Amino acid sequence: MTVGVVLMLAAGTYALRVAGPLLRDRVRLSERWQRLLSIAAITLLGAFVVTSALFESGGFAGWARVAGVAVGGVLAWRRAPFVVVVLAAAATTAGLRVLLPG
């Protein structure tokens, strides 16, 4: 990747980030669109979590990772501290990989 491409991507990213605050008062969305955009963001985040938990390099990531993500999700849902969520998810995944190699 050349430096020019990196600079163009950086400029595009910066322009997208600046567009939000600059257009905030100029663009009006209906309540329905605001609700749909909120749901779309949650859906995209959920899809990212599922695909990251299930797949690695085009193949199934293994049940240990799925279990670790599930443990982390439950702890986050129960409002456990972030450190506890990360450590419990990592410990679950590592423990299952030791117990269930393959």
Side-chain angles (χ1 to χ4, degrees):
M1 190 177 294
T2 63
V3 174
V5 172
V6 172
L7 290 176
M8 285 179 26
L9 289 173
T13 301
Y14 183 75
L16 284 174
R17 288 183 170 257
V18 167
L22 292 178
L23 297 176
R24 183 179 210 171
D25 295 331
R26 295 183 182 190
V27 176
R28 296 281 178 218
L29 297 175
S30 67
E31 288 292 324
R32 180 173 185 242
W33 274 104
Q34 288 179 0
R35 190 176 62 237
L36 287 175
L37 288 174
S38 177
I39 292 170
I42 293 170
T43 303
L44 285 172
L45 183 59
F48 176 71
V49 168
V50 169
T51 55
S52 296
L54 293 178
F55 299 104
E56 179 179 342
S57 301
F60 182 59
W63 290 107
R65 182 186 289 182
V66 174
V69 170
V71 167
V74 168
L75 289 175
W77 175 51
R78 301 300 300 168
R79 298 183 185 271
F82 181 70
V83 173
V84 173
V85 171
V86 171
L87 290 177
T92 301
T93 302
L96 287 176
R97 284 183 177 165
V98 168
L99 294 175
L100 306 169

